[in-house]
């Protein structure tokens, strides 16, 4: 049993595991872009058939909301676990390398390095050691250890030594972003709000849930406006809103795409818009008698056609109906008959389809109003995520372009002259040969 | 002279350059290599002049904006970025033989932009969703990332070809495969860094425009897929058994994802990067 656990742990802390998780996440994400997202269970059954295996699998694994499904989040959790365990496993080792003190420094040890060089000087070993120390000091090297003995001097110098830790910075930033996302999804909300021009509301419909949130203040839409370029394409969508607290105006603001409003931690973004009508004047002509009745209809209440035992109501409005311009939908209930409803074209009063029962209908006047669709969110995790964004870029730069270099130097008296042994190691192997020969060249010049 | 005329000339320019690079790759003629490099620098400058002129033309139309806002402009800019990044790396690595694929990609992107009837080359006004200071930062960083991966794709293909056909005497002029591998790694790092910045600037922008830094829109998701694959490559490189060949193959796959993120998502998947309110 212990063996199995050990193996599991070893696998979880391995690079291979990290690569596999990254590729699995990539594969799962691909799946999510190939299947339609955000459709209901009924939708899936309608799309793939009641008894199909595909529909069953899709529903079982929540593939229509894949990125929020339990197993996908578990995969992200696994990545976080892998990162944490790898850090726990490797960080102490890096710390050891970072603080390692070389006690026994002798030429034999240095000889084993790939980058090793042997130089000579005619000066005394004390003078040479002083020269070298001075050189390293003035060229941005930091002294790690120094070992002075009779006739022998040894020194260890480092440059960019903190870069040893930059990869942990990248991984910590990834964790910070994931934590921020988690905070946002558990402690914040995201929803939409539709407000008619002139109306106010405090109800937010949550996304992906059949729930609402009531804000402690109201948002009133004073005006919604679309501006156009000369060629007719929209240039700007603008909502002018007022925030009301207890019925009192506390703030006026303009919300545009790319220009949201934030009030008491809740942000409002321009997301969509539409038109509705609240009122329409319609004439009803009884085809049996030729009698014409004009009525003002609203979406809120039904109206009675006087003396006809019939009620009518305004039901819906479309700005564009099958290429014939705007149309309104009217419902009609005549005593003793089935209820009827139909679309009436606003701009074509003589259209033969403008009928309901035995009445010809014509729209005399409509008053369309805009409503603005705002996206509403509160996300206390955003700051963590944004800090994570900045840090990850800094640490990726540090990881791939920063170099931690260590140089070992031994100066030894050899008869009348002095011998200098230099060795170098670096966290990035790419350019170490060139750097080492440049260093040796500089030291040679010095001597 | 109009920008579209300059950019048409640039298209042919990249074609000629890719011919020079092909000769330099196959026959190791130093002369053609030099010609290819000098030609590339000249065409790159002209390419840039074309883009700047288009920028100016948009202001003359009264709808001034950076020329990176529709498919045509992004193809033109993408093509420029690929050669810019290649030449940037050429300065240090001096591997002229790797220029063939970047220059061919640049030519193909320009040819598609200039000659395809499906690509609208007119200067269009900015839709409200794109009116943001983040636009330039987001697009430029993303394309530097894509371009890095394109150059890496080129190096990987040549790596694989050289590894396979070297004994038959082909690709002798190309540096040894260890150097190619190191080059490839450096270019992938470059691409990865810029793709990261690109995704993050996009996320910050989305947060300020739509109130959500991540909404799993197909474009976002595919850019994340690409990022994950290159992250996997960077990790895999430290595993001993995952050396050269496998990395080169993964890099080719990664570039497939880049292309899909950039073009495939727009053509094949629905409802994507759907700018604007409606």
């Amino acid at each position: 049993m212990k063996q199995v656990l050990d193996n599991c742990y070893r696998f979880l802390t391995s690079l291979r595991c990290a690569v596999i998780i990254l590729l699995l996440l990539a594969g799962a994400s691909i799946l999510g872009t190939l299947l339609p997202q955000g459709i209901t269970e009924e939708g899936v059954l309608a799309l793939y058939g009641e008894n199909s295996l595909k529909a069953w699998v899709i529903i079982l694994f929540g593939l229509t909301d894949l990125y929020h499904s339990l197993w996908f989040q578990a995969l992200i959790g696994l990545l976080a676990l892998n990162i944490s365990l790898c850090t726990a496993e490797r960080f102490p080792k890096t710390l050891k390398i970072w603080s390692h003190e070389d006690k026994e420094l002798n030429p034999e040890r240095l000889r084993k390095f790939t980058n090793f060089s042997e130089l000579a000087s005619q000066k005394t070993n004390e003078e040479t050691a002083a020269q070298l120390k001075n050189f390293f000091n003035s060229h941005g090297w930091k002294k790690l250890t120094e070992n002075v003995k009779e006739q022998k001097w040894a020194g260890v110098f480092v440059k960019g030594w903190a870069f040893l830790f930059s990869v942990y910075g990248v991984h910590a930033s990834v964790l910070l972003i994931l934590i921020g996302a988690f905070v946002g999804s558990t402690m914040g909300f995201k929803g939409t709000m539709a407000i008619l021009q002139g109306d106010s509301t405090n109800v937010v419909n949550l996304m992906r849930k059949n729930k609402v949130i009531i804000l402690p203040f109201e948002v009133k839409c004073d005006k919604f406006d679309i501006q156009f370029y000369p060629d007719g394409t929209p240039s700007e969508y603008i909502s002018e809103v007022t925030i009301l607290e207890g019925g009192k105006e506390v703030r006026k603001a303009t919300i545009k795409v790319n220009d949201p409003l934030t009030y008491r931690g809740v942000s409002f973004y321009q997301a969509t818009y539409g038109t509705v009508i609240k009122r329409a004047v319609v004439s009803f002509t009884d085809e049996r008698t030729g009698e014409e009745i004009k009525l003002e209809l609203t979406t809120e209440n039904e109206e009675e056609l006087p003396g006809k035992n019939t009620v009518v109501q305004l039901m819906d409005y479309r700005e564009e109906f099958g290429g014939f311009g705007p149309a309104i939908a009217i419902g009609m209930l005549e005593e003793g008959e089935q209820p009827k409803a139909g679309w009436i074209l606003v701009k074509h009063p003589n259209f033969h389809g403008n009928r309901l029962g035995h009445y010809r209908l014509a729209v005399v006047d409509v008053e369309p109003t805009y409503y603005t669709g705002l996206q509403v969110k509160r996300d206390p995790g955003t700051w963590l995520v944004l800090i994570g964004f900045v840090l990850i870029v800094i640490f990726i730069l540090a990881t791939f372009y920063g170099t931690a270099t260590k140089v070992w130097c031994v100066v030894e008296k050899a008869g009348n002259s002095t011998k200098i042994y230099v060795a170098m190691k670096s966290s990035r192997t790419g350019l170490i040969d060139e750097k080492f020969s440049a260093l040796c060249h500089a030291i040679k010049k010095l001597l | 002279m109009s920008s579209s005329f300059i950019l048409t000339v640039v298209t042919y320019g990249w074609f000629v350059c890719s011919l020079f690079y092909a000769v330099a790759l196959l026959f190791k003629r130093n002369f053609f290599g030099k010609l290819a490099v000098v030609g590339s620098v000249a065409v790159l400058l002209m390419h840039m002049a074309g883009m700047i002129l288009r920028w100016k033309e948009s202001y003359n139309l009264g709808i001034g904006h950076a020329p990176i806002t529709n498919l045509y402009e992004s193809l033109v800019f993408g093509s420029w970025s690929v050669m810019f990044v290649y030449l940037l790396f050429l300065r240090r690595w001096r591997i002229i033989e790797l220029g063939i694929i970047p220059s061919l990609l640049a030519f193909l992107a320009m040819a598609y932009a200039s000659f395809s009837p499906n690509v609208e080359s007119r200067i269009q006004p900015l839709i409200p969703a794109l009116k943001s200071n983040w636009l330039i930062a987001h697009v430029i960083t993303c394309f530097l990332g894509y371009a890095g991966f394109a150059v890496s794709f080129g190096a990987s293909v040549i790596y694989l070809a050289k590894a396979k056909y070297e004994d038959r005497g082909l690709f002798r002029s190309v540096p040894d495969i260890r150097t190619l591998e190191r080059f490839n790694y450096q270019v992938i790092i470059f691409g990865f860094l810029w793709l990261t910045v690109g995704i993050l600037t996009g996320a910050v922008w989305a947060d300020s425009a739509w109130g959500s830094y991540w909404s799993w829109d197909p474009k976002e998701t595919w850019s994340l897929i690409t990022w994950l694959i290159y992250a996997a490559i960077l990790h895999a490189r430290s595993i001993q058994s995952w050396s050269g060949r496998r990395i080169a193959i993964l890099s080719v796959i990664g570039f497939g994802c880049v292309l899909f993120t950039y073009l495939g998502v727009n053509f094949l998947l629905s409802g994507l990067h759907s700018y604007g309110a409606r």
Side-chain angles (χ1 to χ4, degrees):
Chain A
M1 188 61 203
K2 190 167 180 306
Q3 180 96 44
V4 175
L5 279 178
D6 272 0
N7 281 343
C8 268
Y9 181 76
R10 201 165 310 134
F11 178 70
L12 264 177
T13 55
S14 69
L15 264 174
R16 205 170 290 262
C17 175
V19 172
I20 290 172
I21 295 175
L22 289 172
L23 291 178
L24 276 178
L25 270 173
S29 304
I30 292 177
L31 192 62
T33 62
L34 298 181
L35 293 170
Q37 295 292 296
I39 57 174
T40 58
E41 222 168 273
E42 291 78 31
V44 174
L45 292 175
L47 203 59
Y48 299 106
E50 290 275 348
N51 296 315
S52 79
L53 181 69
K54 200 170 171 189
W56 183 76
V57 170
I58 287 176
I59 291 169
L60 183 70
F61 291 102
L63 300 187
T64 53
D65 196 10
L66 189 144
Y67 305 111
H68 303 98
S69 69
L70 211 59
W71 64 270
F72 189 79
Q73 309 223 330
L75 206 52
I76 294 177
L78 201 61
L79 180 72
L81 183 70
N82 172 256
I83 292 175
S84 312
L85 289 181
C86 282
T87 306
E89 185 72 7
R90 297 193 171 119
F91 191 79
K93 292 178 186 164
T94 309
L95 207 60
K96 220 175 199 170
I97 295 173
W98 185 71
S99 60
H100 180 74
E101 276 194 35
D102 299 86
K103 297 247 165 52
E104 276 300 305
L105 275 175
N106 48 50
E108 285 64 47
R109 250 197 73 202
L110 298 196
R111 255 181 236 285
K112 289 181 188 142
F113 283 79
T114 322
N115 292 103
F116 167 78
S117 184
E118 201 178 318
L119 307 165
S121 165
Q122 298 305 317
K123 293 178 185 140
T124 67
N125 57 327
E126 284 95 352
E127 268 177 338
T128 315
Q131 264 183 323
L132 278 176
K133 256 166 81 175
N134 194 15
F135 169 82
F136 281 114
N137 252 330
S138 57
H139 284 77
W141 294 84
K142 216 184 106 209
K143 191 174 76 189
L144 216 58
T145 40
E146 191 180 12
N147 223 319
V148 192
K149 277 185 195 153
E150 215 177 316
Q151 311 203 329
K152 187 176 150 194
W153 172 87
V156 180
F157 297 87
V158 289
K159 208 179 213 175
W161 206 221
F163 283 127
L164 281 181
F165 297 105
S166 27
V167 73
Y168 298 106
V170 178
H171 291 153
S173 313
V174 172
L175 288 180
L176 190 64
I177 292 169
L178 292 180
I179 291 169
F182 182 74
V183 167
S185 68
T186 49
M187 291 162 66
F189 65 82
K190 204 193 288 181
T192 55
M193 202 176 215
I195 319 169
L196 264 180
Q197 217 168 226
D199 273 6
S200 64
T201 180
N202 56 0
V203 180
V204 180
N205 297 298
L206 291 191
M207 275 178 192
R208 304 191 307 108
K209 283 174 207 156
N210 242 334
K211 270 199 219 159
V212 295
I213 273 189
I214 308 293
L215 297 176
F217 53 87
E218 293 201 356
V219 185
K220 179 163 177 267
C221 174
D222 298 317
K223 195 180 168 208
F224 176 81
D225 193 21
I226 310 176
Q227 292 176 352
F228 296 92
Y229 288 111
D231 71 351
T233 53
S235 71
E236 206 75 86
Y237 305 102
I238 305 166
S239 296
E240 281 166 25
V241 298
T242 307
I243 304 283
L244 305 167
E245 291 234 37
K248 261 192 271 168
E249 280 188 18
V250 287
R251 181 144 162 213
K252 274 191 173 295
T254 307
I255 302 173
K256 295 184 209 169
V257 185
N258 277 313
D259 189 7
L261 159 73
T262 302
Y263 182 73
R264 284 175 61 176
V266 183
S267 301
F268 300 87
Y269 302 82
Q270 185 65 53
T272 176
Y273 73 96
T275 34
V276 291
I277 47 162
K278 292 164 91 175
R279 201 184 66 86
V281 180
V282 181
S283 82
F284 294 80
T285 311
D286 192 327
E287 288 185 312
R288 296 165 301 191
T289 62
E291 184 190 356
E292 187 185 346
I293 306 165
K294 269 188 197 171
L295 268 185
E296 186 178 314
L297 306 179
T298 63
T299 45
E300 278 125 37
N301 299 308
E302 45 188 43
E303 299 289 330
E304 198 176 335
L305 285 175
K308 302 279 182 189
N309 287 332
T310 303
V311 289
V312 289
Q313 187 175 2
L314 187 56
M315 297 176 71
D316 202 355
Y317 173 76
R318 272 200 213 150
E319 224 175 333
E320 185 53 56
F321 191 84
F324 292 102
I328 57 175
I330 289 176
M332 178 183 274
L333 183 59
E334 207 168 345
E335 211 175 72
E337 292 204 28
Q338 290 288 317
K340 304 177 193 67
W343 287 98
I344 310 298
L345 300 178
V346 175
K347 294 279 166 65
H348 304 273
N350 297 322
F351 175 59
H352 69 88
N354 283 1
R355 286 164 203 276
L356 263 186
H358 38 258
Y359 294 95
R360 280 196 54 77
L361 275 63
V363 181
V364 180
D365 186 27
V366 280
E367 206 181 59
T369 348
Y370 279 125
Y371 69 85
T372 181
L374 300 177
Q375 175 144 325
V376 188
K377 74 135 190 191
R378 201 179 81 86
D379 185 348
T382 306
W383 282 107
L384 292 175
V385 173
L386 291 182
I387 292 170
F389 284 179
V390 174
L391 290 181
I392 199 172
V393 173
I394 293 174
F395 283 118
I396 287 180
L397 263 174
T399 304
F400 292 118
Y401 294 104
T403 321
T405 318
K406 195 173 189 178
V407 170
W408 292 261
C409 244
V410 176
V411 175
E412 210 174 35
K413 191 170 174 176
N416 284 335
S417 66
T418 303
K419 285 228 155 163
I420 302 130
Y421 306 91
V422 193
M424 187 193 235
K425 256 192 184 172
S426 161
S427 61
R428 287 209 304 145
T429 48
L431 293 169
I432 186 165
D433 294 347
E434 295 159 41
K435 276 194 178 161
F436 185 64
S437 60
L439 178 78
C440 291
H441 190 74
I443 293 177
K444 230 180 261 172
K445 254 169 98 183
L446 186 82
L447 301 172
Chain B
M1 215 165 20
S2 74
S3 67
S4 58
F5 173 73
I6 295 182
L7 292 172
T8 309
V9 175
V10 163
T11 309
Y12 294 112
W14 288 133
F15 179 67
V16 172
C17 285
S18 60
L19 286 182
F20 289 157
Y21 279 116
V23 174
L25 171 70
L26 295 174
F27 306 111
K28 186 73 183 178
R29 298 279 155 80
N30 277 333
F31 172 70
F32 279 100
K34 271 179 199 143
L35 210 57
V37 174
V38 172
S40 301
V41 172
V43 178
L44 192 78
L45 290 174
M46 203 165 148
H47 198 148
M48 190 150 171
M51 291 193 296
I52 292 172
L53 190 59
R54 188 178 167 96
W55 199 335
K56 197 179 156 282
E57 282 166 6
S58 78
Y59 273 92
N60 294 346
L61 287 174
I63 45 174
H65 57 75
I68 43 175
T69 59
N70 61 14
L71 182 60
Y72 173 82
E73 290 171 342
S74 79
L75 283 165
V76 170
F77 181 66
S79 155
W80 183 86
S81 322
V82 171
M83 281 313 284
F84 172 73
V85 171
Y86 168 69
L87 291 172
L88 196 71
F89 274 83
L90 184 71
R91 263 190 66 189
R92 252 219 24 218
W93 290 78
R94 310 259 159 212
I95 315 179
I96 293 173
E97 293 80 4
L98 294 183
I100 172 73
I101 287 177
S103 58
L104 257 179
L105 286 173
F107 163 66
L108 289 175
M110 286 303 289
Y112 179 51
S114 307
F115 305 127
S116 166
N118 302 327
V119 181
E120 171 64 62
S121 67
R122 223 160 29 90
I123 298 178
Q124 291 156 317
L126 267 190
I127 57 174
L130 294 185
K131 286 185 178 174
S132 166
N133 294 330
W134 287 103
L135 172 72
I136 292 183
H138 175 58
V139 175
I140 289 181
T141 50
C142 281
F143 272 94
L144 283 177
Y146 292 171
F149 296 141
V151 174
S152 154
F153 165 73
S156 301
V157 168
I158 290 183
Y159 176 98
L160 294 170
K162 186 175 164 88
K164 188 159 184 198
Y165 296 112
E166 198 176 21
D167 3 327
R168 293 198 215 161
L170 285 166
F171 304 111
R172 284 241 172 88
S173 57
V174 184
D176 65 299
I177 58 175
R178 296 268 324 253
T179 311
L180 285 183
E181 194 188 341
R182 272 177 39 219
F183 174 86
N184 204 356
Y185 183 59
Q186 287 304 318
V187 189
I188 289 177
I189 288 172
F190 179 89
F192 186 73
L193 171 71
W194 286 109
L195 180 68
T196 308
V197 180
I199 293 176
L200 299 188
T201 48
V204 174
W205 182 10
D207 189 54
S208 64
W210 292 289
S212 172
Y213 51 81
W214 198 262
S215 29
W216 296 105
D217 144 303
K219 193 94 167 179
E220 279 176 359
T221 310
W222 270 96
S223 69
L224 178 71
I225 292 164
T226 308
W227 190 85
L228 287 169
I229 287 185
Y230 283 100
I233 294 179
L234 291 177
H235 285 88
R237 196 176 176 271
S238 307
I239 304 175
Q240 293 233 314
S241 58
W242 283 70
S243 56
R245 203 180 124 74
R246 283 194 191 181
I247 302 289
I249 292 173
L250 269 179
S251 164
V252 171
I253 295 173
F255 187 62
C257 285
V258 170
L259 283 183
F260 198 79
T261 307
Y262 173 44
L263 295 172
V265 169
N266 295 26
F267 294 141
L268 300 176
L269 299 176
S270 54
L272 345 121
H273 246 58
S274 43
Y275 309 112
R278 256 152 77 115

